[in-house]
Structures are given as structure tokens and as C-alpha cells.
Amino acid sequence: MAIIEITNLKKSFGDTEVLKNVSLSVEQSEVVAVIGPSGSGKSTMLRSMAYLEEANGGSIQIGEEYLVKDGKYPASAKIKQITSRMGMVFQHFNLFPHLSVRDNLELAPKLLKQFSSAEIRSKSSDLLNKVGLLDKADAYPSNLSGGQKQRVAIARALMMSPEILLFDEPTSALDPELTGEVLQVMRQLAEEQMTMVVVTHEMGFAKEVADRVMFMADGEFIESGSPEQMFGNPRHERTKAFLNRVL
């Protein structure tokens, strides 16, 4: 059963139509890579899923609940409940510079008061260990490399045990030699059956890890298929032209 169902999603900024009737269905444990040129609407779609942008029309269903239905949103408490099922990892990390690595992870669960201090501490240690940064728990973001910051951001997104992870260009702000360490964590999450939607320029990741690759241009999906089909035998001329440029 689909855990994410987007139907005819629309979004405009002023007179500029950024999303044109975008539809997407993602199964539980599926890894979907969304590729396409800059300005094609990929990040706007992702941000709409996390309610960081408000759609102008269409529907987003998470599990059996609607975040937005035919352009109408529920009460804010309901929106919070639905978006809490998702974690988001941003291009530029979005860590709090004045907080230590551990405090960055622990801030949200402490504010929500759903867990004891001991449980929160145990979970933050487990997740820092998972991303290979337990030794940096007391460091501040300014003392970390870009790759380390992004691994902390992934650990922070996992603190609330989301069912879905959304990645918005997670490696595009990194030097090429730091990209691998972030992709390795994402590969591990894929192996653990985490449902992921990944907006990426990293074609190697899309090729190796994604179950499905979707190509977006001019605010709509042009083509989708398995990595083998999309990279080996794309059908649409727009897809071919894009892949010829980036590969």
C-alpha cells in the first residue's frame, strides 16, 4: 500500500506556476530518487510534503490521512501530527550553530516531552554511533566538515522515529570527497527499509540505491522507471538530453 499519495499537486509563486498537476505514489520501504534540472519544481514538491510550502491545489495523503485535500488543509494540530511522521534533511544542514551536536539531536524530543531524558540520551547516542559521529557529540557545527554536518542532520531527522525521510539535495553543498560518507549513511537506511524520497543531482546514488527514478522538468514529471530503464534506455527526449548533460 502507498504510504505517500500525491494527486494533481499545484503550486504557484505569483504568476509563476512551479508545480503543474504533480502526482506521485510511494510504497512503504521504497526509495524514490527525483532528478531534473534546477528550477524544475523538485524541491518545492518535497517542501510541500513537509508543509514548508502550502499547495494551491491538489492532495497529499500520508498513509490514510490527508495533509491537504483538494487544496484544503486541516487544523494545525492535525498538520503537525501528519508531518511528524516525516523527517527532512536539507541541502544546507540547518543545524543550530549555538548548540552542540548532541543538543541539536535532542532539542525537538525534549520540547515535545514525549520521552524521558534517559531515553532521549540513549537514542541520540545510538544515532550518532549509527552515522559514525559519537565522538563528536560535544562538538559544535562550526568544528565539523560539511559531510559530518550532513550526517548529524540525518541523525537529527531520525530522532523522532519518522516513517518517511525526505532529502532535498543532501550532497549538493558538499565537496565531492565528502559526498561518499553521506551517501553511505543513506544506503544503510535504504537497506533498513526506510521509505525515502530523495531529490538529488547524485546520479550514482539514484542508479545504485533507488528503486525508482523520476525525472521532473518544468513543474511536472516527464518520465519514471527503474534505474536500469531510466539510465540505460530513457524514452523521453527531455530525459535523454538531461542525462547526456549530467552523466
Side-chain angles (χ1 to χ4, degrees):
M1 179 192 148
I3 190 169
I4 302 168
E5 196 74 62
I6 298 176
T7 312
N8 298 330
L9 194 67
K10 298 181 185 73
K11 175 66 181 176
S12 297
F13 294 108
D15 294 333
T16 307
E17 199 179 10
V18 181
L19 297 177
K20 306 168 186 173
N21 291 319
V22 166
S23 295
L24 168 68
S25 184
V26 181
E27 298 294 315
Q28 184 116 28
S29 304
E30 191 177 17
V31 179
V32 175
V34 182
I35 63 172
S38 296
S40 58
K42 306 182 302 296
S43 292
T44 302
M45 178 193 72
L46 206 69
R47 291 173 64 82
S48 298
M49 290 163 67
Y51 192 60
L52 298 172
E53 300 285 359
E54 273 198 38
N56 302 127
S59 304
I60 300 173
Q61 193 175 353
I62 305 298
E64 295 178 357
E65 299 185 295
Y66 281 96
L67 173 64
V68 55
K69 187 172 186 184
D70 300 325
K72 293 186 173 60
Y73 286 87
S76 59
K78 189 69 177 171
I79 290 172
K80 268 190 186 157
Q81 180 203 326
I82 295 168
T83 54
S84 71
R85 299 172 66 177
M86 295 175 273
M88 183 141 179
V89 178
F90 300 89
Q91 180 177 345
H92 294 292
F93 328 126
N94 288 19
L95 299 177
F96 295 108
H98 63 290
L99 297 179
S100 71
V101 163
R102 189 186 289 283
D103 288 340
N104 263 282
L105 264 69
E106 295 183 355
L107 180 65
K110 281 178 176 171
L111 288 173
L112 290 169
K113 298 189 172 95
Q114 291 174 346
F115 307 98
S116 70
S117 296
E119 286 171 319
I120 292 170
R121 179 53 50 102
S122 172
K123 181 145 195 183
S124 67
S125 294
D126 286 349
L127 286 172
L128 287 173
N129 192 46
K130 182 188 188 81
V131 300
L133 290 172
L134 187 55
D135 61 326
K136 300 289 186 186
D138 298 320
Y140 284 81
S142 59
N143 298 320
L144 303 180
S145 72
Q148 289 171 330
K149 287 176 188 172
Q150 196 58 293
R151 284 187 282 153
V152 171
I154 293 171
R156 181 178 63 179
L158 291 167
M159 273 299 284
M160 300 306 294
S161 302
E163 298 164 56
I164 299 161
L165 275 184
L166 308 175
F167 291 87
D168 189 9
E169 302 281 11
T171 58
S172 65
L174 303 180
D175 294 331
E177 67 268 22
L178 300 176
T179 296
E181 61 192 56
V182 174
L183 294 179
Q184 185 50 45
V185 172
M186 293 171 69
R187 279 190 194 95
Q188 185 184 346
L189 290 169
E191 286 165 11
E192 293 168 3
Q193 307 287 295
M194 173 62 77
T195 305
M196 297 195 276
V197 181
V198 185
V199 168
T200 185
H201 283 120
E202 201 61 51
M203 297 303 139
F205 174 83
K207 215 180 260 187
E208 293 165 35
V209 183
D211 299 302
R212 185 157 42 112
V213 179
M214 305 196 65
F215 174 67
M216 188 180 242
D218 301 324
E220 53 194 345
F221 284 120
I222 305 291
E223 183 174 356
S224 73
S226 68
E228 294 76 21
Q229 185 261 307
M230 289 292 282
F231 291 105
N233 188 27
R235 293 183 297 270
H236 201 284
E237 289 304 319
R238 289 292 303 275
T239 316
K240 289 177 189 171
F242 173 75
L243 291 173
N244 284 338
R245 274 204 316 277
V246 300
L247 291 176

